[in-house]
Amino acid sequence: MYYTNILVMEINGSTIAKEIIKRCRNEGRHAYLEDEDKATLRFLRAANSFIPDAEEDGADMKNVAFILRIPGREIVLKSGNGDWEYDFCEDSDGEIYGRCIRQALFHNVYDKATSAVVTISTFAVTLLPILLGAALRASTQK
C-alpha cells in the first residue's frame, strides 16, 4: 500500500491551492501528470469543493483529516490531530465524494446532550397540560 500524507496548518482553499501547485504544478502542466499525480489532483480538487460541507457540519478545519482510499493507495490531507475525519471514495464514474466518519469528541458529546435536552423538553411540554389539568381538578375538589 502506498501512502501520501499531506500535512497542513488548516484545510482551506488557499492551502489546497498551494498543495496542488507543489505536487501537480501549474494548470497548464496537469495534462502531463503521471497517474498517481492525477489521482492526487482529483482528490485535492474534491477536498476543496467539500470544504463548505465540512464547515456546515461544524468541523474545525484546523483539526481535520480528509482521507481518500483507492486500491493500493491512500492519500491523507490532515491538519492538527485530525479529530474530525472525512472518508472520500471514488465511484465508477471517477467522481469523488466524501462523508464524515468521525467527529471531535466534544462536538459528539455536545450533539448528544442537545438531543437529550430537546427530547426531555418535548416530553415536558406534552405532559404540562395533563399536569395542569390534574392540579386544577384537585384544587376545585377541596
Side-chain angles (χ1 to χ4, degrees):
M1 176 80 103
Y2 178 69
Y3 296 94
T4 301
N5 289 311
I6 304 170
L7 304 175
V8 295
M9 294 298 292
E10 179 178 358
I11 295 180
N12 59 40
S14 176
T15 57
I16 289 177
K18 288 176 186 173
E19 289 300 324
I20 288 174
I21 291 170
K22 177 180 172 182
R23 295 169 187 283
C24 308
R25 306 198 207 1
N26 292 326
E27 190 70 39
R29 311 277 282 153
H30 292 172
Y32 307 106
L33 294 174
E34 299 290 325
D35 287 342
E36 284 182 10
D37 293 329
K38 285 180 183 178
T40 302
L41 177 62
R42 283 194 325 274
F43 170 61
L44 288 171
R45 285 179 173 166
N48 190 48
S49 67
F50 193 76
I51 289 172
D53 295 331
E55 290 175 334
E56 189 175 304
D57 288 345
D60 176 4
M61 302 310 285
K62 292 182 180 180
N63 189 18
V64 66
F66 286 178
I67 304 166
L68 174 67
R69 293 177 181 93
I70 51 180
R73 184 151 186 230
E74 183 173 284
I75 305 170
V76 179
L77 176 63
K78 181 179 173 185
S79 64
N81 293 327
D83 288 340
W84 286 82
E85 197 169 293
Y86 288 87
D87 198 31
F88 286 77
C89 299
E90 189 171 20
D91 64 16
S92 59
D93 296 331
E95 289 291 317
I96 298 175
Y97 58 94
R99 65 184 177 89
C100 183
I101 59 171
R102 185 171 59 104
Q103 294 179 344
L105 178 61
F106 172 76
H107 198 277
N108 197 6
V109 169
Y110 175 80
D111 284 349
K112 289 185 192 288
T114 302
S115 177
V117 167
V118 168
T119 302
I120 291 168
S121 299
T122 303
F123 181 71
V125 167
T126 305
L127 265 173
L128 189 61
I130 296 168
L131 293 174
L132 287 175
L136 184 59
R137 278 193 300 275
S139 68
T140 57
Q141 289 177 356
K142 288 185 178 180

